[in-house]
Amino acid sequence: QSARGAFKLPSAEHERVVTMINGGVAQDDWPLQDQRAMMEASAELFPPEPDVQADSILAGDVPADWVTVPASESGRVVLYLHGGGYSIGSLTSHRPFVAQLARRSGMRALSVDYRLAPEHPFPAAIEDCHAALRWLHDHADSLGIDPERIAVGAV
């Protein structure tokens, strides 16, 4: 992070080091299945703390996890859309991050397992994310959520 607070992108030197660590091959050059497997395996390096609860649900027709910690306020929710360029990533690969998001924000998190490309081409992932958000709004009263206290986050 720079002195002004803006984040800098990795330098060319950083990218060369990452490529060297990966045996001279940039991760973007790996087959998609290998990229997915690497992301899934990375979650095992940072398991969530024992007080994290992740409950599988269907948010409409979209698989999702409710992720909470004891301090999570029930009326505030962050709808989390995992990273991976709509082609890699999952509930499992991002659960450690979502657990920290819930802990640090004091909010419940609904993590969406949207369909991935190329098996499910655009706009499948966007439709899933929209369906989950619509489900949150449609069920806000029964879930004890203030609709004005729903945030959307993605990394």
Side-chain angles (χ1 to χ4, degrees):
Q1 189 170 7
S2 72
R4 295 183 133 175
F7 285 94
K8 294 182 179 181
L9 295 175
S11 66
E13 293 82 11
H14 173 265
E15 295 302 323
R16 282 195 294 277
V17 169
V18 169
T19 299
M20 183 180 66
I21 290 169
N22 291 331
V25 179
Q27 186 172 345
D28 290 346
D29 295 334
W30 294 1
L32 184 59
Q33 294 305 326
D34 291 348
Q35 291 180 47
R36 288 176 176 173
M38 179 65 77
M39 186 168 276
E40 292 298 308
S42 69
E44 295 174 13
L45 299 174
F46 305 99
E49 290 87 354
D51 65 340
V52 173
Q53 184 172 341
D55 297 311
S56 297
I57 67 158
L58 284 177
D61 291 330
V62 182
D65 273 357
W66 271 121
V67 179
T68 58
V69 296
S72 296
E73 292 181 33
S74 62
R76 299 176 359 157
V77 173
V78 60
L79 176 70
Y80 181 74
L81 314 173
H82 68 75
Y86 299 116
S87 62
I88 61 176
S90 71
L91 298 175
T92 303
S93 67
H94 284 73
R95 189 169 291 130
F97 178 82
V98 177
Q100 284 301 313
L101 180 63
R103 183 176 310 286
R104 293 171 189 263
S105 69
M107 301 170 78
R108 290 192 289 172
L110 182 67
S111 184
V112 179
D113 196 19
Y114 55 79
R115 293 171 288 168
L116 300 177
E119 298 89 345
H120 304 280
F122 178 84
I126 303 300
E127 291 170 345
D128 290 351
C129 296
H130 183 252
L133 179 59
R134 189 174 48 248
W135 179 84
L136 271 176
H137 277 278
D138 290 349
H139 294 87
D141 285 342
S142 64
L143 294 168
I145 298 168
D146 178 350
E148 294 185 9
R149 310 267 321 210
I150 297 173
V152 178
V155 174

